[in-house]
Amino acid sequence: MAAEAPSWHEGMSSDNIKGLVLALSSSFFIGGSFIVKKKGLKKAGASGISAGAGGFTYLYEPLWWLGMITMIVGEIANFVAYAFAPALLVTPLGALSIIISAVLAHIILREKLHIFGVLGCVLCVVGSTAIVLHAPQEREIESVTELWQMAMEPAFLLYATLVITCAIILIFHFIPQYGQTHIMVYIGVCSLLGSLSVMGVKALGIAMKLTLSGVNQLVYPQTWIFAIIVATFLLTQLNYLNKALDTFNTAVVSPIYYVMFTSLTILASVIMFKDWDRQSPTQVITELCGFVTILSGTFLLHKTKDMVDGVSTSSPIRLAKHVEEDGYNGLEGIPLRRQESMRS
């Protein structure tokens, strides 16, 4: 009998490829949107009060709105990507936005990219490639009730309970006392709730995909419960993320937030969807190495950005709000994509 041709299940599944393409598209759109928005902010600042000085003239600048539309398109692509591919594949690829923005800033805005920044970009690409090639296959989900059953399993319920409990303690006990002096307090709330938000977004994405394929999921109350959970956690997450960005240096907030958010999201996905149960130890270790490589690249990019801008890496973490003349930092908020849209 002739040897059987390799199937998608021996490599990447068709759903994983769709999710990968959407995640990469999202990175291109969002990374590019920061450059377009910065150009718009600079143009608006030249003809009126800059955003950094509290002005809103950028709202009348078409270039800024083009950047916003580009970012929204990227966010939609990112949302849909979760419907096709595991969070273990989609979430770490958010770091590619850093590369897109850094390269475009170098070409379009004439912002210098340090040699170690180039190395950081290479590390992000290498780490992303390792994760893409060894990512688990997406589970076949037939109904939103199946997702609800996964969320109701003891292991994930324990994780969700611990996350919400820790977030409540941080919000009501630690933030009033230490929010203005300890960066981990705000970022802890954002990262903890963010990991649950992504699980809810993935559930909603799958529900929408099934609905569009002819299997209506809007009739199930679980779909609307997921929607309420996502809306509640996202609003809370973004509120405290803005507080962190307003209080501390973005060059410090972004990498710490990326590390915590992505790590907790991967943990939540592994618990809820049991991603690693369908993989060999070699694949799991390779994915972890890829993730650590991306973290290293992200760290290098942010540190060398400080070197390029002439800011000492030993400077205090807490800096004044809107430290830049045009009120915008070309790389700020990129690892977690919704940061800049909320600040602008």
Side-chain angles (χ1 to χ4, degrees):
M1 183 180 293
E4 192 174 303
S7 67
W8 284 112
H9 297 285
E10 295 173 344
M12 288 188 69
S13 69
S14 58
D15 273 357
N16 270 26
I17 290 180
K18 291 175 186 175
L20 171 62
V21 171
L22 286 164
L24 292 176
S25 301
S26 176
S27 292
F28 275 99
F29 278 113
I30 292 173
S33 74
F34 285 93
I35 306 304
V36 178
K37 288 174 71 178
K38 182 166 184 177
K39 292 280 284 185
L41 285 167
K42 283 188 171 184
K43 189 174 179 182
S47 58
I49 302 175
S50 69
F56 295 95
T57 53
Y58 62 85
L59 294 176
Y60 301 97
E61 176 54 51
L63 203 56
W64 185 85
W65 282 107
L66 177 61
M68 278 299 297
I69 292 170
T70 305
M71 173 172 281
I72 291 170
V73 171
E75 291 292 354
I76 292 172
N78 191 50
F79 176 87
V80 178
Y82 281 110
F84 290 97
L88 194 61
L89 169 62
V90 176
T91 306
L93 292 182
L96 295 181
S97 296
I98 302 173
I99 299 176
I100 306 300
S101 185
V103 171
L104 290 178
H106 179 73
I107 296 171
I108 298 174
L109 302 177
R110 301 287 187 260
E111 294 181 359
K112 291 184 179 180
L113 185 60
H114 194 276
I115 183 62
F116 287 117
V118 175
L119 177 60
C121 291
V122 171
L123 287 174
C124 286
V125 171
V126 171
S128 299
T129 302
I131 289 176
V132 167
L133 293 178
H134 296 85
Q137 308 298 340
E138 176 72 337
R139 289 185 61 165
E140 291 292 332
I141 305 293
E142 311 234 338
S143 168
V144 73
T145 56
E146 186 178 342
L147 289 166
W148 185 258
Q149 289 171 359
M150 292 180 185
M152 291 297 105
E153 289 186 2
F156 188 75
L157 277 178
L158 176 61
Y159 174 79
T161 301
L162 288 174
V163 163
I164 293 172
T165 302
C166 289
I168 290 173
I169 292 173
L170 286 172
I171 290 171
F172 292 103
H173 179 69
F174 287 98
I175 283 180
Q177 297 182 49
Y178 306 108
Q180 296 296 309
T181 55
H182 291 70
I183 192 171
M184 296 301 294
V185 179
Y186 284 138
I187 294 180
V189 174
C190 299
S191 303
L192 287 166
L193 296 183
S195 68
L196 295 182
S197 296
V198 170
M199 297 303 100
V201 165
K202 182 168 180 63
L204 284 179
I206 292 173
M208 293 301 102
K209 181 177 73 170
L210 291 171
T211 299
L212 292 174
S213 67
V215 185
N216 188 9
Q217 301 297 303
L218 300 179
V219 297
Y220 295 107
Q222 289 92 336
T223 301
W224 301 104
I225 294 173
F226 277 127
I228 293 170
I229 290 172
V230 168
T232 303
F233 286 165
L234 273 181
L235 289 173
T236 306
Q237 175 190 356
L238 292 173
N239 174 49
Y240 287 103
L241 178 56
N242 277 340
K243 289 179 183 293
L245 290 169
D246 196 47
T247 307
F248 302 98
N249 184 0
T250 305
V252 178
V253 172
S254 294
I256 295 175
Y257 186 18
Y258 177 78
V259 171
M260 288 188 64
F261 171 81
T262 308
S263 300
L264 289 170
T265 297
I266 290 173
L267 177 60
S269 182
V270 167
I271 295 172
M272 180 170 173
F273 293 95
K274 300 178 173 59
D275 294 324
W276 285 346
D277 288 1
R278 306 183 298 280
Q279 293 192 284
S280 67
T282 302
Q283 289 175 308
V284 173
I285 292 172
T286 304
E287 287 166 8
L288 290 174
C289 289
F291 178 50
V292 171
T293 304
I294 292 175
L295 297 184
S296 303
T298 304
F299 175 82
L300 266 180
L301 274 169
H302 280 281
K303 285 302 178 183
T304 55
K305 176 190 171 297
D306 288 345
M307 292 167 61
V308 169
D309 289 343
V311 179
S312 172
T313 55
S314 61
S315 59
I317 288 177
R318 193 177 189 279
L319 297 179
K321 181 183 177 184
H322 303 306
V323 293
E324 294 198 359
E325 194 174 288
D326 60 5
Y328 183 82
N329 184 322
L331 285 178
E332 75 182 33
I334 290 170
L336 247 290
R337 303 168 171 194
R338 296 174 180 84
Q339 295 180 17
E340 176 57 28
S341 60
M342 295 300 296
R343 293 190 73 195
S344 299

